């Protein structure tokens, strides 16, 4: 593109007339085609257009330039280069200039003291590259250079109408066509992109450099024009965050101007609106980010209290329970300062609920009780009172004080009925039903939760069906496995659709147990990956999916570490503590430490039994505890644990637990050297587990029966049981169990 006309004429003539074998390679930017539209189109010419390198190729370029880059820095370099090797080369040269990258053994590597020389997580474009791009922009005609600067204010993508608004009018068609030909801009053609038909910068760094060439006054005027343009758009409600960003950029360009405070105030109002809108659309993490920024900008106490309260609610949905607790307490303090104890009570209810779910149960209870006492005797405080007593009932349940939770729930139900507060009535009924189950009334409890679900759907309450679906998943898990799986999948889909990360964590947890039982073990891995990849920090209940994963991996003979729930070993919430103990026990089992595994699983079963008896997730603890007690020769412990279910009213023992009772009773009988008593129990266990839909434990019972029959010399009867078990274990990739079944089948065939 820098060649003069004489050189270009010569190359044209040479290619057309040469008869000797000659290869001519020319490289140019697309701008050359403005001077020579037919360049590269002759019969003896092949044109190759170089597209940006993909991430894998760029990664290879970066690795070839310098070794030992931390993964996050390598990724940042690849992303920033946007497929242009020169960008990566120049950035690394800048690191070499600062001795952050040094030569060693014939190649460049990251210096050992790199952290003291440069912040690798905040790499900026090197001056050499910035100067290179600036020179290219300076070479553009004035109209094109102005258009690039105006477009840079609008962002990486923009419409013709937006550019016209920022530029103050005019027809930009010819200018934009030229910039597309020069590959400064491109037209978004992806049919799946919401920006289809818009113009965009081919390279983000070009936009950055163009923006930096604007003076502060020019930046401010253009940002104000952009804000006015977006504020007047048909979808302005969805663009509140964009408008706010332009007001903030205008403020930052001239912070000393008389209108600086007004611009900040406008931005705060718009950010609050954007946060609320994002949360309504199910993007709770984005909504929280907007609201937190609005809170930073707010200088008015009442506005700050209102924004903090909204942010606490959105943070709870986003799974950011620590942030929800802190924002709720901040809002409570501000509303109290303003004398609005009703609104302070609402904020305290949100904070207490978040704290309780984090395991900070005693502190949550104290906060809720103090806020509730402050409302005594005040009129018009039914709504915050309802929220606070629901929080207190949750604290009582978490502490294992089930009976003490009942009066709170009954009071909550009365208040919700009086207020016709359907969302809180659904929530109260859901908690009330779960409490009935924990009190040994499963039929009543499930009926109440189904009533909560029916009200949520009747009143078309957005996302109110999530919590009842979660409890139905948990409470049907040991009674009707397909129904539990169906409710869990429906609830999790709803949670994700509405951005409810906290409730989604509960559902992922309960759904993972259903997957463990029905043999969908690979689906558990998917749940774990989706939880880790989601926005915000993983909730405790999402962490419990690691327990389900550990159970499946242990069955497959893989070692697990059991640290996912370590922080809950001293939790105030009894169920949290029991889960953490069980996870440690399963990890010890996977690593062959049987004595330790037995101690931990027995401890976890006792902890959970003291919490709710045989209800809720007791089978999860009870089964490995009995198995490991027998495997380590603790027959008395196994007999004691067996009695917790055997001595319970059998009408209250769910089908899965009843089937496992037959199986474990048979194992205890075998340990007592009473194979005759064990056989009918194993037959009933196989029938019950198969009917329930648990292939792994059905196969376990078949293998145990095959071993019993083989010892009795009944090989013809043992072999089909062992072969059936082997087929299931092989399908589940439970290798140790498949090998054990194969050995029994082989022995029976002799």
């Amino acid at each position: 593109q820098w060649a003069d006309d004489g050189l270009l004429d010569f190359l044209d003539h040479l290619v057309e007339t040469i008869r000797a074998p000659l290869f001519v390679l020319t490289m140019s930017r697309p701008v050359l085609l403005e001077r020579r539209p037919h360049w590269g189109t002759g019969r003896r010419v092949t044109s190759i257009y170089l597209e940006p390198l993909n991430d894998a190729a760029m990664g290879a370029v970066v690795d070839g330039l310098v070794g030992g880059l931390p993964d996050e820095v390598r990724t940042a370099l690849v992303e920033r280069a946007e497929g242009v090797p020169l960008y990566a080369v120049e950035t690394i040269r800048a690191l070499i200039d600062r001795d952050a990258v040094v030569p060693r053994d014939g190649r460049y590597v990251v210096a050992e003291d790199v952290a003291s020389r440069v912040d690798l997580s905040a790499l900026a474009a090197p001056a050499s590259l910035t100067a290179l791009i600036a020179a290219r922009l300076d070479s553009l005609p004035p109209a094109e250079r102005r258009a690039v600067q105006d477009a840079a204010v609008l962002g990486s993508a923009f419409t013709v109408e937006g550019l016209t608004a920022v530029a103050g009018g005019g027809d930009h068609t010819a200018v934009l066509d030229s910039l597309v030909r020069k590959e400064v801009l491109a037209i978004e053609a992806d049919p799946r992109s919401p920006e289809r038909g818009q113009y965009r910068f081919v390279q983000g760094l070009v936009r950055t450099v163009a923006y930096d060439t604007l003076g502060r006054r020019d930046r401010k005027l253009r940002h104000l024009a952009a804000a006015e343009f977006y504020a007047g758009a048909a979808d302005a409600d969805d663009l509140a965050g964009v408008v706010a960003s332009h007001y903030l950029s205008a403020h930052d360009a001239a912070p000393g101007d008389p209108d600086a405070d007004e611009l900040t105030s406008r931005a705060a109002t718009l950010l609050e609106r954007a946060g609320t809108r994002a949360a309504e659309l199910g993007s709770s993490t984005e909504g929280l980010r907007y609201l937190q920024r609005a809170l930073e900008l707010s200088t008015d106490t009442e506005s700050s209290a209102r924004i903090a309260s909204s942010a606490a609610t959105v943070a709870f949905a986003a799974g950011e329970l620590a942030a929800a607790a802190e924002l709720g307490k901040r809002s409570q303090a501000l509303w109290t300062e303003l004398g609005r104890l009703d609104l302070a009570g609402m904020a305290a209810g949100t904070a207490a609920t978040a704290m309780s779910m984090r395991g900070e149960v005693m502190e949550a209870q104290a906060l809720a009780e103090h806020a509730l006492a402050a409302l005594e005797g005040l009129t018009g405080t039914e709504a915050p009172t309802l929220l606070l007593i629901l929080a207190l009932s949750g604290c009582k349940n978490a502490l294992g004080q089930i009976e003490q939770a009942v009066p709170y729930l009954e009071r909550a139900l009365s208040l919700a009925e009086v207020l016709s507060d359907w969302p809180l009535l659904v929530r109260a009924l859901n908690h009330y039903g779960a409490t009935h189950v924990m009190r040994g009334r499963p039929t009543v409890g499930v009926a109440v939760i189904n009533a909560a679900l029916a009200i949520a759907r009747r009143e078309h309450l957005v996302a109110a069906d999530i919590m009842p679906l979660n409890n139905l998943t948990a409470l049907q898990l040991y009674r009707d496995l397909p129904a539990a799986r169906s409710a869990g999948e429906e609830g999790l889909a709803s949670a994700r659709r509405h951005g409810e990360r906290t409730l989604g964590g509960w559902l992922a947890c309960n759904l993972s147990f259903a997957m463990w039982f029905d043999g969908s073990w690979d689906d558990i891995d998917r749940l774990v990956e989706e939880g880790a990849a989601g926005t915000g920090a993983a909730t405790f209940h999402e962490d419990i999916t690691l327990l389900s994963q550990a159970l499946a991996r242990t069955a497959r003979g893989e070692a697990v570490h059991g640290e996912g729930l370590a922080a809950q070993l001293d939790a105030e919430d009894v169920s949290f503590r029991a889960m953490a103990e069980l996870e440690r026990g399963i990890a010890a089992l996977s690593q062959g430490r049987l004595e330790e595994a037995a101690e931990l699983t027995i401890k976890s079963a006792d902890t959970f039994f003291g919490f709710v008896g045989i209800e809720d997730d007791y089978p999860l603890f009870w089964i490995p505890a009995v198995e490991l007690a027998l495997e380590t020769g603790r027959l008395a412990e196994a007999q004691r644990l067996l009695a917790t279910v055997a001595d319970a009213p059998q009408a209250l023992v769910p089908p899965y637990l009843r089937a496992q009772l037959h199986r474990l009773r048979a194992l205890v009988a075998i340990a007592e050297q009473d194979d005759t008593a064990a056989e009918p129990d194993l037959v009933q266990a196989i029938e019950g587990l198969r009917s329930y839909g648990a292939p792994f434990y059905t196969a376990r019972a078949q293998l145990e029966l095959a071993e019993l029959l083989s010892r009795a010399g009944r090989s013809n009867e043992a072999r089909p049981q062992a072969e059936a078990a082997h087929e299931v274990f092989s399908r589940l990739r439970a290798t140790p169990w498949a090998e054990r079944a194969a050995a029994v089948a082989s022995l029976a065939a002799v």
Side-chain angles (χ1 to χ4, degrees), residues 399-424:
L399 293 170
Q401 300 168 357
I402 309 302
E403 293 301 325
Q404 293 182 37
V406 175
Y408 286 104
L409 286 167
E410 291 179 343
R411 185 180 174 192
L413 289 169
S414 298
L415 274 172
E417 289 273 22
V418 169
L419 294 172
S420 294
D421 189 326
W422 302 118
L424 285 182

Side-chain angles (χ1 to χ4, degrees), residues 203-407:
Q203 299 293 335
L205 199 52
V206 173
R207 181 209 163 220
T208 300
V209 174
Y211 183 83
D212 289 343
T213 61
L214 284 169
R216 289 185 173 273
R217 184 61 51 189
D218 289 334
R219 284 188 200 177
K220 178 175 180 178
L221 292 174
R222 284 167 169 78
H223 278 297
L224 289 175
E228 183 178 352
F229 168 72
Y230 287 120
D235 54 350
D237 285 346
D238 295 329
L239 298 174
V242 176
V243 179
S245 70
H246 283 293
Y247 279 133
L248 289 175
S249 295
H251 170 276
D252 293 342
D257 282 4
D259 62 348
D261 289 343
E262 180 187 352
L263 291 175
T264 301
S265 178
R266 285 189 201 174
T269 300
L270 287 163
L271 286 167
E272 183 182 1
R273 188 187 309 167
T276 303
R277 179 65 172 163
E280 289 173 349
L281 294 175
S283 183
S284 51
T285 301
E286 183 182 11
L288 176 60
R289 180 170 56 82
Y290 281 134
L291 289 167
Q292 287 177 319
R293 181 65 175 129
L295 190 57
E296 291 171 4
L297 297 172
S298 177
T299 56
D300 172 69
T301 304
E302 184 173 344
S303 296
S304 296
R306 183 185 64 251
I307 296 169
S309 182
S310 297
T313 302
V314 175
F316 183 91
E320 299 284 357
L321 297 181
E326 290 306 312
L327 288 162
K329 288 189 285 188
R330 179 175 177 181
S331 178
Q332 179 196 17
L334 291 171
W335 285 125
T336 301
E337 180 184 333
L338 292 168
R340 293 297 306 272
L341 296 182
D342 54 338
L343 297 177
M346 294 293 290
T350 301
T353 303
M355 291 161 63
S356 176
M357 290 182 183
R358 278 173 52 81
E360 301 163 354
V361 186
M362 298 303 295
E363 187 180 349
Q365 181 173 273
L367 175 66
E369 287 175 342
H370 181 269
L372 191 60
L375 298 178
E376 289 296 331
L378 299 180
T379 58
T381 59
E382 291 85 359
T385 297
L386 174 54
L387 191 60
L388 286 165
I389 58 180
L390 279 173
L392 281 170
S393 72
C395 291
K396 297 298 183 185
N397 277 337
L399 293 170
Q401 300 168 357
I402 309 302
E403 293 301 325
Q404 293 182 37
V406 175

Side-chain angles (χ1 to χ4, degrees), residues 64-67 69 88-103 107-111 114 117-118 120 123 126:
L65 291 168
V66 60
L69 279 172
V89 170
E90 291 296 323
T91 301
I92 290 172
R93 281 179 178 168
L95 293 176
I96 293 171
D97 291 342
R98 299 167 70 175
D99 292 329
V101 169
V102 296
R107 70 169 305 186
Y108 282 105
V109 297
V110 176
V114 63
R117 296 181 179 276
V118 63
L120 291 174
L123 291 174

Side-chain angles (χ1 to χ4, degrees), residues 128-266:
S128 58
L129 185 54
T130 302
L132 190 67
I133 295 171
R136 183 184 178 196
L137 294 177
D138 285 343
S139 70
L140 296 174
E144 293 180 13
R145 187 166 61 252
R146 259 194 320 274
V148 171
Q149 290 174 321
D150 292 339
V153 171
L154 290 166
S156 59
F158 59 93
T159 62
V160 175
E161 295 79 9
L163 180 62
T164 301
V166 171
D171 183 356
H172 296 82
T173 305
V175 169
L176 290 172
D177 288 345
S178 177
L179 290 171
V180 169
R181 285 196 302 274
K182 295 175 181 179
E183 294 192 357
V184 175
L185 301 177
I187 298 175
E188 182 57 69
D190 187 346
R192 296 164 296 184
S193 172
E195 296 172 349
R196 185 182 184 189
Q198 294 187 21
Y199 289 86
R200 61 174 175 81
F201 282 89
V202 173
Q203 299 293 335
L205 199 52
V206 173
R207 181 209 163 220
T208 300
V209 174
Y211 183 83
D212 289 343
T213 61
L214 284 169
R216 289 185 173 273
R217 184 61 51 189
D218 289 334
R219 284 188 200 177
K220 178 175 180 178
L221 292 174
R222 284 167 169 78
H223 278 297
L224 289 175
E228 183 178 352
F229 168 72
Y230 287 120
D235 54 350
D237 285 346
D238 295 329
L239 298 174
V242 176
V243 179
S245 70
H246 283 293
Y247 279 133
L248 289 175
S249 295
H251 170 276
D252 293 342
D257 282 4
D259 62 348
D261 289 343
E262 180 187 352
L263 291 175
T264 301
S265 178
R266 285 189 201 174

